[in-house]
Amino acid sequence: MSATQAAACPPSRKAVLIAADRQGVGAYGKNHPLAIPRVSLTVALIRAYGALDEGELLAPRKAVDAELTWFHTPEYVAAMKHSEALGRVASAYRARHRLGTLENPYFHRFFSVAAAATGGSIQAAQAVLAGRIAFNPAGGMHHARPDHARGFCYFNDPVLAILRLKEEGWRVLYLDLDAHHGDAVEEAFIDDPDVLTLSLHMDTAYAYPHRGGRLEDAGTAQGRHTTLNVPLPPGTHDGEYRLLFEAVWGPTLERFAPDAIVLQAGTDVLAADPLGKLAVSTQCFLDICGQVLATAPRHPDGTPRLLVTGGGGYHPVLLARAWTGLWGLLSGRTLPEELPPEGAERLRAAGWDPDEDASPDPRLFRFRLDEATGGPIRPHVAELARRIAAHPFLR
Ligand SMILES: [Zn+2]
């Protein structure tokens, strides 16, 4: 431990972080929203807090073909592997599998990087089955389809993690907090009465993926609801986000009564995210995650049955602070709000494109949390909360 590292804080919960120090470094090449430090920066900040015991860290392993093909087609998996071996994407694969595009670019070891992010979520499912909380920050690639890449996502690790939990007969509630609709996870389980997908996201009338995700887009199977969607208006602030979350969360848990929760914790909901158009603070994001943790179904020893993945998030400093706070919650540690000097230094060194944020607020590099955002509840948000309460699954 270096002199500047914070004194280690002991965990009070059984949790595992599935990550590696250099995970994702160099991924997505250049000029892509995901070509920023994310998992590596998060792990560095967690370490700077002294908030990671060696027994809590698990190195991700690559998902094998037999696992990837629980959801993906063998042809697609082969196309990813072949492209990696070749060092480029053949035009036939580009057309058929949407690989090697601006959206889903080829980069060095792209199959291996995606397969490790995916393997991490399967390991997370196994850890949850074995009685621990698990967090795989490289996961949450919720737009990937069975036979093609979509929205920066190559393999759909949330779907594979849910399938692994289902293998043990568990019923799973998938909660997607990412700023974008969790469309491919919804599609995967729309006919499955044992999985409920709940997504809160920017209304697709103004945001990617530009279709679906409306409150009335409710799937059903065997007479049971399988999907719930809360479309958020631009500029949704803390007070509005809390109102809408609380309108949907308690009743959903009560009606569906899951055996486990899979939480996709994308940070593009945060106010300064360059792709998100919401106005949620880090404090609010963590409070919501804390509510999920507090209300999750439990193992006999009281450990929440909760699997958490990463997701979107395009401001590296905000993301690393938020996911460090999330790890603090999951592992049962109280982290001071002030950043440890070594962690602050890492955040500063990660830099931030001045085109995106002309004069970064110095508080970004000093504190773990943001001040609450707020204002009155706008009439269309209040109306949305009323419509949620009247939803046939929740009333
Ligand atoms: Zn997103």
Side-chain angles (χ1 to χ4, degrees):
M1 180 183 283
S2 71
T4 54
Q5 199 167 17
C9 26
S12 67
R13 276 196 205 90
K14 292 194 289 184
V16 62
L17 178 71
I18 301 160
D21 287 293
R22 292 192 47 78
Q23 193 171 5
V25 171
Y28 291 88
K30 291 192 171 78
N31 301 319
H32 188 283
L34 285 181
I36 52 172
R38 301 171 91 244
V39 176
S40 57
L41 194 57
T42 303
V43 174
L45 187 53
I46 290 171
R47 285 194 188 281
Y49 271 108
L52 190 63
D53 296 350
E54 279 315 307
E56 293 177 296
L57 184 66
L58 187 60
R61 64 159 178 84
K62 283 200 261 182
V64 298
D65 290 15
E67 293 166 332
L68 293 169
T69 53
W70 292 343
F71 180 63
H72 296 286
T73 63
E75 295 76 20
Y76 176 51
V77 175
M80 285 286 296
K81 278 185 157 174
H82 189 215
S83 302
E84 174 163 311
L86 200 63
R88 66 181 177 83
V89 174
S91 58
Y93 290 157
R94 184 173 301 118
R96 182 169 172 192
H97 302 298
R98 300 198 190 192
L99 296 170
T101 60
L102 281 177
E103 181 177 302
N104 314 305
Y106 173 79
F107 56 86
H108 180 58
R109 298 185 69 248
F110 83 152
F111 168 78
S112 298
V113 168
T118 310
S121 284
I122 298 169
Q123 289 167 286
Q126 282 159 339
V128 171
L129 289 165
R132 299 174 84 174
I133 298 166
F135 180 26
N136 172 30
M141 308 308 273
H142 59 170
H143 299 306
R145 299 309 204 276
D147 70 339
H148 65 269
R150 189 87 76 87
F152 316 160
C153 303
Y154 301 90
F155 296 129
N156 200 316
D157 62 282
V159 167
L160 296 181
I162 293 167
L163 289 173
R164 181 67 189 85
L165 296 173
K166 269 177 58 77
E167 218 172 274
E168 308 299 320
W170 284 17
R171 301 172 69 250
V172 180
L173 172 54
Y174 172 72
L175 171 63
D176 192 315
L177 296 182
D178 191 282
H180 301 96
H181 178 221
D183 52 0
V185 184
E186 176 181 285
E187 280 171 28
F189 296 108
I190 199 155
D191 296 321
D192 187 337
D194 293 325
V195 178
L196 179 68
T197 60
L198 166 59
S199 179
L200 286 80
H201 47 260
M202 297 188 285
D203 195 322
T204 60
Y206 70 89
Y208 184 88
H210 306 295
R211 56 185 289 277
R214 298 172 307 169
L215 184 59
E216 54 276 21
D217 291 338
T220 52
Q222 298 171 20
R224 310 178 68 129
H225 280 268
T226 57
T227 64
L228 274 171
N229 287 300
V230 178
L232 304 168
T236 297
H237 60 66
D238 286 1
E240 293 175 332
Y241 196 88
R242 289 176 200 273
L243 174 78
L244 296 170
F245 180 80
E246 278 155 24
V248 74
W249 181 243
T252 299
L253 262 185
E254 197 186 309
R255 303 289 192 284
F256 186 68
D259 295 309
I261 292 169
V262 172
L263 166 65
Q264 201 269 23
T267 66
D268 43 5
V269 290
L270 299 176
D273 187 275
L275 297 194
K277 296 180 175 67
L278 305 174
V280 173
S281 70
T282 306
Q283 180 65 66
C284 177
F285 172 80
L286 292 176
D287 286 350
I288 297 293
C289 293
Q291 278 192 54
V292 175
L293 179 71
T295 52
R298 295 283 199 269
H299 283 286
D301 73 349
T303 302
R305 291 174 164 189
L306 177 62
L307 187 163
V308 184
T309 70
Y314 306 93
H315 188 308
V317 177
L318 283 178
L319 173 143
R321 297 184 326 164
W323 284 351
T324 296
L326 179 53
W327 170 249
L329 273 177
L330 298 177
S331 63
R333 289 178 168 91
T334 306
L335 302 182
E337 196 184 330
E338 195 160 332
L339 295 172
E342 189 174 295
E345 198 42 55
R346 282 294 299 260
L347 295 183
R348 223 174 260 116
W352 182 234
D353 183 353
D355 292 339
E356 300 282 0
D357 192 347
S359 53
D361 188 329
R363 287 173 301 177
L364 265 181
F365 307 104
R366 279 184 51 208
F367 298 110
R368 187 169 60 87
L369 300 174
D370 297 309
E371 286 160 23
T373 63
I377 306 289
R378 293 170 291 176
H380 55 294
V381 174
E383 173 57 23
L384 180 58
R386 277 192 292 275
R387 287 174 54 219
I388 290 170
H391 190 284
F393 179 69
L394 301 176
R395 68 175 171 229

